[in-house]
Every structure is written in C-alpha cells, then in structure tokens.
Amino acid sequence: GAVVSQHPSWVICKSGTSVKIECRSLDFQATTMFWYRQFPKQSLMLMATSNEGSKATYEQGVEKDKFLINHASLTLSTLTVTSAHPEDSSFYICSARDRPGSTDTQYFGPGTRLTVL
Amino acid sequence: TQLLEQSPQFLSIQEGENLTVYCNSSSVFSSLQWYRQEPGEGPVLLVTVVTGGEVKKLKRLTFQFGDARKDSSLHITAAQPGDTGLYLCAGAKLGSNYQLIWGAGTKLIIKP
C-alpha cells in the first residue's frame, strides 16, 4: 500500500515553455501533498504544501506564480513550472500523506527529472 | 527555526563493518522518519518512530528515537554493498500540515 506515482519521470523542454508534473496517490486518499526540489547530492527542499481544495502554501523564496500547484482531488496534485529556464532544471519530488488521524509519514513519488535547455 | 543535524554526511566503509548515523535537534518532533534514496529515485520509507525511547529493527538496521523525541539514530550491523545509498532522516513538526524537517542526508558507500 501507500504508493505514489509521478508523471513524467523525466522531461526535457526548451527555455520559456511550461511543464506540468502530476503526482497521484494510487491506493489512498491524500488530503495533503508536498512538493520538493532536490539538487544533486543534497537533501530535499520543501517548495510548497498542497491541501485538497485549497490554495497551496509556498515556502519562503518559492515563486508561487512560477510554480503553480493544483490539488484538485484527494488523489491528484499537479505542479506546473511556468516559463521554465535552465536554472529550473532539477529533480522534483512529490509526497503524500493519509487523512488526518494517521501517522505523520509521507510517501514519496519516484521523482521527475526536469532539464530545461 | 527547527533544524535537524545529520551526521556523518559521508561514510565509506568495508563490507561487514558496523556504522551509526545520527540525527539531532533541539526541537521536539511528533515523529521521525528514516528514508533511503537511490540516485534518480524518490526516497523510500524505512521506518517511522513515534514514541520516545522507541527502538525498531529492520533486519540488520536498528532505529532508535531519543527519550525526549529530539534525536534519533540508525545503526547498521555487518553492512553490505546493497546498503549503499543516501539515508535521510526527517522529523515531523508539531502542529498542522505535518511538514517534515529534513536532515542533510548521509551518503553511505559500502565497499565489497
């Protein structure tokens, strides 16, 4: 149980284009999903917290107009990198947790490698 | 600001040796998770510890949560090359949304 999928697993795009990444909880309903960014050989950096049906909460320094997050259902959250530039190239990972009342555990997707040319 | 200090950041040892990774904080966590991550993949949950003083074992891995729920350790006995990877600890903040405070990670290499 507790499987989280991400799509696509990797994407290469031209500078200035927008890229959408999907995060799905496959066998449980996730009231809260998290989006992370990870640079090589570093730990995870939280970008935003997404609650189903409400606006995402962004961490300090993360541009909400550039990284659009939508959590339209209990099993799907999307991250759209708008007008992507080479500096946005990174490994993006989502995670999801169960409904309130469960443990604090987050289950992670396999990640999406974004390369902006 | 809550911080979770993880050490060592890098460890390279021979197969068969034992090792311990530490995560320490001045803050109290409601729970603490240990993850292992392979290159190009998302973190995979190893264990969640919730109770102060709790000890959990996963084959050759032993996880301990400090009595005050501020620190945790991961001990690997007789390490094997298959244990190679990035180990991450993450503490759950007290309060809403269950955000995790992440350690910097320990890059572990087990040489055959």
Side-chain angles (χ1 to χ4, degrees), chain B residues 4-25:
Chain B
L4 189 54
E5 296 182 355
Q6 186 172 346
S7 63
Q9 290 194 12
F10 179 79
L11 186 60
S12 178
I13 61 173
Q14 292 293 139
E15 179 179 3
E17 295 184 14
N18 303 330
L19 67 108
T20 303
V21 179
Y22 300 93
C23 280
N24 297 292
S25 176

Side-chain angles (χ1 to χ4, degrees), chain A residues 25-40:
Chain A
S25 56
L26 299 185
D27 52 2
F28 66 100
Q29 293 183 324
T31 54
T32 305
M33 288 185 170
F34 303 85
W35 286 95
Y36 294 86
R37 184 172 179 177
Q38 187 177 33
F39 294 100

Side-chain angles (χ1 to χ4, degrees), chain A residues 21-82:
Chain A
I21 302 170
E22 291 186 350
C23 177
R24 294 182 184 272
S25 56
L26 299 185
D27 52 2
F28 66 100
Q29 293 183 324
T31 54
T32 305
M33 288 185 170
F34 303 85
W35 286 95
Y36 294 86
R37 184 172 179 177
Q38 187 177 33
F39 294 100
K41 300 181 181 180
Q42 295 188 22
S43 189
L44 281 70
M45 182 187 76
L46 180 64
M47 298 175 66
T49 301
S50 169
N51 289 299
E52 185 264 338
S54 63
K55 291 183 178 181
T57 302
Y58 290 81
E59 294 300 298
Q60 190 173 9
V62 179
E63 299 176 58
K64 62 180 180 181
D65 293 331
K66 180 168 187 61
F67 299 100
L68 301 178
I69 293 173
N70 184 279
H71 193 161
S73 76
L74 286 172
T75 59
L76 173 64
S77 177
T78 60
L79 167 68
T80 301
V81 183
T82 62

Side-chain angles (χ1 to χ4, degrees), chain B residues 31-71:
Chain B
S31 68
L32 192 138
Q33 286 94 53
W34 284 92
Y35 294 86
R36 177 180 160 184
Q37 185 179 23
E38 300 288 344
E41 299 180 9
V44 174
L45 178 69
L46 296 175
V47 76
T48 299
V49 286
V50 180
T51 306
E54 183 177 4
V55 177
K56 284 190 174 180
K57 291 191 175 183
L58 186 66
K59 297 184 180 179
R60 293 175 294 99
L61 278 61
T62 302
F63 304 86
Q64 187 166 4
F65 202 14
D67 291 340
R69 292 186 292 147
K70 294 181 179 181
D71 55 86

